[in-house]
């Protein structure tokens, strides 16, 4: 998993388990809690944990990250974050995410950032451009601001997230989109069509833990999303829960490989800036 030079146990950088492992081989959570207030939040709906009682920085986080990076040779991608959002509203006041990135940059740790914070991440664009290996992504569930405001009231609206991805792409930062949860096949396919010119790859899942009136036809969605990405010549990964509905598609196994979309230094032609 890790090439540990000193034999120390990692304190805060860890290997995710289960469904989370489909996003990254390693991860790091910056905050406890979240202020995006998403109605479909998996922590809230599947674990019975109230994530919405304020955002708190993890205790002694920077010291622990410094120790993890100094004592271990970390060559696999580290995702920020699974619990909470690195660019939650409160990070504007606390500013912890930038300090985390400064340490990861010091050791040139491969980083992926997933956020619904929209243009809040652009304040760290100067740091992004100094990494050898980084990608910045957005979770996109809806193609319109009205639905987003209802289901994810504290997050940046979709229009802002689209524009942020476009700006990152213009600065040659690798971008990605997480298409999960999926409430509507039509909206999700429309998101792909709207964003593919400035998004490098898509992670495609389904809807779990949250009940809706009208269930998506997952077989249809799987077929149409795969065929759309192939037609657009876009990199993508199909999550295991969605792939379970396949009975006819024959695609390259790379699209089912958990680490297919993780950046690897050895085949990066991208010191892009």
């Amino acid at each position: 998993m890790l090439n540990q030079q000193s034999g120390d146990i990692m304190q805060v950088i860890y290997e995710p388990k289960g469904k989370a492992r489909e996003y990254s081989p390693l991860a790091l959570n910056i905050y406890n809690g979240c202020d995006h207030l998403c109605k479909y939040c998996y922590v809230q709906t599947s674990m019975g944990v109230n994530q919405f009682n304020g955002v708190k920085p993890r205790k002694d986080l920077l010291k622990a990250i410094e120790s993890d990076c100094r004592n271990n040779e970390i060559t696999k991608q580290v995702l920020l974050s699974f619990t909470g959002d690195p660019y939650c509203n409160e990070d504007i006041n606390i500013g912890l995410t930038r300090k985390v990135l400064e340490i990861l940059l010091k050791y040139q740790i491969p980083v992926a950032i997933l956020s619904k914070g929209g243009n809040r991440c652009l304040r760290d664009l100067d740091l992004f451009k100094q990494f050898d290996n980084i990608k910045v992504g957005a979770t996109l569930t809806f193609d319109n601001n009205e639905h987003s405001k209802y289901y994810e009231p504290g997050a940046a609206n979709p229009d802002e997230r689209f524009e942020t991805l476009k700006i990152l792409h213009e600065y040659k930062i690798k971008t990605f989109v997480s298409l999960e949860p999926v409430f509507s096949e039509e909206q999700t396919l429309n998101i792909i069509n709207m964003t593919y010119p400035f998004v490098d790859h898509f992670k495609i899942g389904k809807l779990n833990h949250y009940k809706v009136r009208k269930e998506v036809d997952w077989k249809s969605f799987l077929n149409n999303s795969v065929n759309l990405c192939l037609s657009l010549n876009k990199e993508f990964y199909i999550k295991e829960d969605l792939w379970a509905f396949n009975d006819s598609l024959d695609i390259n196994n790379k699209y089912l490989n958990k680490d297919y979309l993780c950046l690897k230094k050895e085949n990066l032609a991208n010191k892009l800036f």
Side-chain angles (χ1 to χ4, degrees):
M1 181 180 73
L2 295 171
N3 181 4
Q4 295 186 317
Q5 297 174 324
S6 67
D8 287 0
I9 297 174
M10 301 286 279
Q11 299 178 61
V12 290
I13 297 175
Y14 68 100
E15 181 178 2
K17 305 297 182 183
K19 294 180 175 65
R21 178 60 184 82
E22 295 188 84
Y23 274 84
S24 186
L26 297 173
L28 166 61
N29 298 314
I30 299 174
Y31 291 107
N32 292 319
C34 186
D35 53 19
H36 284 162
L37 309 179
C38 301
K39 295 181 185 298
Y40 53 75
C41 175
Y42 80 95
V43 176
Q44 177 86 343
T45 58
S46 69
M47 300 172 66
V49 176
N50 190 344
Q51 278 282 84
F52 309 140
N53 289 331
V55 174
K56 298 179 181 178
R58 295 181 63 189
K59 186 177 179 181
D60 298 324
L61 179 68
L62 300 179
K63 181 179 178 180
I65 296 172
E66 179 76 35
S67 175
D68 284 353
C69 294
R70 182 178 62 250
N71 295 319
N72 300 276
E73 184 182 359
I74 303 171
T75 59
K76 295 180 180 180
Q77 174 185 282
V78 176
L79 177 76
L80 312 177
S81 305
F82 280 121
T83 60
D85 191 302
Y87 291 104
C88 58
N89 292 283
E90 191 60 22
D91 185 67
I92 297 172
N93 301 316
I94 299 173
L96 185 58
T97 294
R98 184 175 180 88
K99 295 176 182 177
V100 169
L101 285 170
E102 287 172 341
I103 297 173
L104 298 175
L105 173 61
K106 174 182 174 182
Y107 293 94
Q108 281 296 348
I109 305 298
V111 170
I113 297 170
L114 180 61
S115 176
K116 298 175 192 169
N119 62 25
R120 296 172 214 155
C121 75
L122 295 180
R123 61 178 176 265
D124 292 331
L125 182 59
D126 62 317
L127 294 180
F128 299 163
K129 292 192 291 183
Q130 297 178 58
F131 275 85
D132 288 336
N133 191 334
I134 192 168
K135 61 182 180 180
V136 182
T139 297
L140 287 169
T141 303
F142 305 103
D143 64 0
N144 65 87
N145 296 345
E146 181 181 0
H147 287 157
S148 176
K149 187 65 176 176
Y150 175 77
Y151 283 102
E152 41 195 26
N157 64 48
D159 285 348
E160 182 180 317
R161 285 180 245 176
F162 296 158
E163 183 61 26
T164 299
L165 290 167
K166 191 179 300 183
I167 291 169
L168 291 165
H169 179 75
E170 289 171 354
Y171 278 93
K172 303 189 185 305
I173 303 299
K174 192 158 189 175
T175 58
F176 71 102
V177 164
S178 172
L179 297 167
E180 186 183 43
V182 173
F183 282 74
S184 159
E185 175 179 344
E186 180 182 7
Q187 287 202 46
T188 302
L189 296 178
N190 192 37
I191 289 169
I192 296 174
N193 276 312
M194 293 170 70
T195 62
Y196 81 87
F198 46 87
V199 168
D200 291 292
H201 66 251
F202 298 93
K203 282 183 174 283
I204 307 172
K206 59 187 292 287
L207 176 68
N208 297 305
H209 315 302
Y210 190 83
K211 302 300 181 184
V212 293
R213 292 180 183 176
K214 183 180 179 181
E215 183 79 357
V216 174
D217 181 338
W218 296 115
K219 179 181 175 181
S220 169
F221 172 65
L222 171 62
N223 288 329
N224 290 332
S225 58
V226 166
N227 288 328
L228 178 57
C229 287
L230 290 173
S231 71
L232 297 172
N233 195 28
K234 302 306 295 187
E235 292 182 329
F236 64 94
Y237 167 75
I238 301 296
K239 293 196 73 179
E240 292 174 359
D241 283 349
L242 181 58
W243 187 247
F245 289 86
N246 178 55
D247 64 3
S248 60
L249 285 171
D250 182 16
I251 61 174
N252 191 311
N253 283 338
K254 69 182 182 181
Y255 301 121
L256 308 174
N257 179 344
K258 290 182 176 68
D259 294 334
Y260 164 51
L261 298 178
C262 293
L263 296 174
K264 298 176 176 64
K265 278 188 176 180
E266 59 269 22
N267 42 16
L268 263 186
N270 94 333
K271 182 85 171 175
L272 290 175
F273 36 86

